[in-house]
Amino acid sequence: MSAARTKSSASGSEFARADRAAKFILAKTKLRPKIALVLGSGLGAFADELQDATRIPYEKIPAFPRSTAMGHAGRLVIGKVENIAVAAMQGRVHFYEGYTAQQVAFPMRVLGRLGIRSAILTNAAGGINTKYNQGVLVIISDHINLQGINPLIGPNDDRFGPRFPDMTQAYWKPYREIALAEAKRLGSAAPEGVYAALAGPNYETPAEIRYLRTIGADLVGMSTVPETIAARHMGIRVLGISCVTNMAAGILDQVLDHKEVMETGERVKGQFIALLRAVLPRIAADSK
Ligand code: HPA
């Protein structure tokens, strides 16, 4: 990247940068999506199925962070599913990659400036609740932010939203109900659960998992929460879905590794895509 490009894309307020990135994206497609999808580790396959797709690598988008995590493609795909326009992020960036909270949330800011009203955030998570099994999809009912960071720290830009945004419905109740009903209809009833976000990148210790269970967490992961916070700040309604790629540390007599996370994601991909397809039209009806 040239010095001039770095300077121009990095200059101005977060709002101005998000606006610039949104304009760049809108100039590349005629579609005007109101729904965004953030596809986590191993779950990016859904974006490959979009029709009339425009694919934009993150590095081409002004001021956009690049994703470095394994299993994350790193591009924005704007296309249609069942005639519904969506903006799908194939991969995201994480705090553990060295980005600031604001950088992690920046793509959500851009999506907001693009006109997105609803976001479906997906992730791979460790299962803390012992009723869960590996491979189950869980509808996120709420979260606990233990990352020690927050994308809203710093001067508030009222053009995005209020200084002290409400988080009582971080995950929009009607969307949760839609997802629960559709999962049931598809014959793979999904439980609800509370997602605890840690900074990572190491997996947790068994003692940390016992602590997380005590404070009410059912799932643990290293993403989603900064994006949810930025989305709610902008009034975007959020649906969160986790894939339990592994039982959390200390539950089973085995070590955790990223390969297992990827393999489980791969195994339940079809089920995940079926749920997204079922949920999207009902959310689209709500986000006009
Ligand atoms: N812990 C944290 N993040 C994760 C896990 C886990 O066990 N599995 C997938 N992402």
Side-chain angles (χ1 to χ4, degrees):
M1 198 189 285
S2 73
R5 162 88 189 281
T6 312
K7 190 157 180 281
S8 74
S9 60
S11 67
S13 65
E14 189 185 17
F15 190 89
R17 281 181 284 121
D19 238 21
R20 207 151 50 227
K23 289 204 175 92
F24 173 89
I25 294 160
L26 291 174
K28 299 220 174 293
T29 172
K30 289 195 173 63
L31 299 180
R32 293 294 175 261
K34 296 267 181 281
I35 305 181
L37 293 162
V38 179
L39 304 165
S41 301
L43 306 171
F46 186 68
D48 295 330
E49 300 198 355
L50 302 188
Q51 281 117 41
D52 302 333
T54 301
R55 297 186 165 81
I56 314 173
Y58 293 160
E59 67 259 28
K60 294 257 165 66
I61 305 174
F64 228 66
R66 295 157 189 226
S67 90
T68 65
M70 284 188 285
H72 290 257
R75 65 185 167 213
L76 179 70
V77 186
I78 310 231
K80 290 199 276 189
V81 198
E82 330 256 349
N83 232 17
I84 300 160
V86 299
M89 285 185 58
Q90 222 169 8
R92 55 155 61 88
V93 300
H94 306 78
F95 183 52
Y96 64 72
E97 292 174 74
Y99 294 103
T100 64
Q102 278 83 3
Q103 285 174 314
V104 171
F106 185 73
M108 190 53 66
R109 295 304 197 190
V110 175
L111 292 169
R113 296 308 301 151
L114 212 60
I116 294 301
R117 300 309 305 144
S118 313
I120 305 178
L121 308 182
T122 68
N123 61 49
I128 296 174
N129 188 322
T130 52
K131 292 200 185 101
Y132 298 166
N133 292 310
Q134 195 178 18
V136 74
L137 300 179
V138 180
I139 312 305
I140 302 177
S141 58
D142 206 345
H143 75 222
I144 303 174
N145 181 11
L146 295 172
Q147 291 198 310
I149 53 157
N150 190 310
L152 307 187
I153 288 176
N156 187 59
D157 193 326
D158 295 334
R159 291 172 294 181
F160 281 131
R163 171 75 290 187
F164 301 111
D166 172 61
M167 290 292 280
T168 43
Q169 269 198 68
Y171 302 87
W172 199 247
K173 188 88 194 296
Y175 291 179
R176 286 159 49 196
E177 280 162 6
I178 288 170
L180 291 170
E182 291 303 322
K184 201 165 170 188
R185 199 178 58 79
L186 291 169
S188 52
E192 279 201 290
V194 173
Y195 177 91
L198 270 62
N202 59 281
Y203 292 116
E204 301 69 34
T205 63
E208 286 166 342
I209 294 303
R210 289 193 297 275
Y211 156 75
L212 292 172
R213 185 179 296 122
T214 304
I215 65 169
D218 299 298
L219 302 155
V220 60
M222 308 172 192
S223 69
T224 306
V225 163
E227 293 139 285
T228 298
I229 293 172
R232 292 308 300 138
H233 188 223
M234 295 182 284
I236 295 171
R237 295 167 172 184
V238 177
L239 172 65
I241 310 175
S242 289
C243 170
V244 175
T245 51
N246 56 281
M247 291 313 288
I251 296 180
L252 304 176
D253 189 20
Q254 62 187 53
V255 297
L256 272 50
D257 79 314
H258 187 64
K259 201 161 148 264
E260 182 188 10
V261 168
M262 299 304 297
E263 280 168 3
T264 312
E266 189 63 30
R267 187 160 60 76
V268 302
K269 203 162 76 178
Q271 206 186 321
F272 213 109
I273 289 175
L275 182 58
L276 289 176
R277 275 189 184 282
V279 159
L280 268 169
R282 295 188 58 185
I283 288 188
D286 179 85
S287 64
K288 287 209 172 81

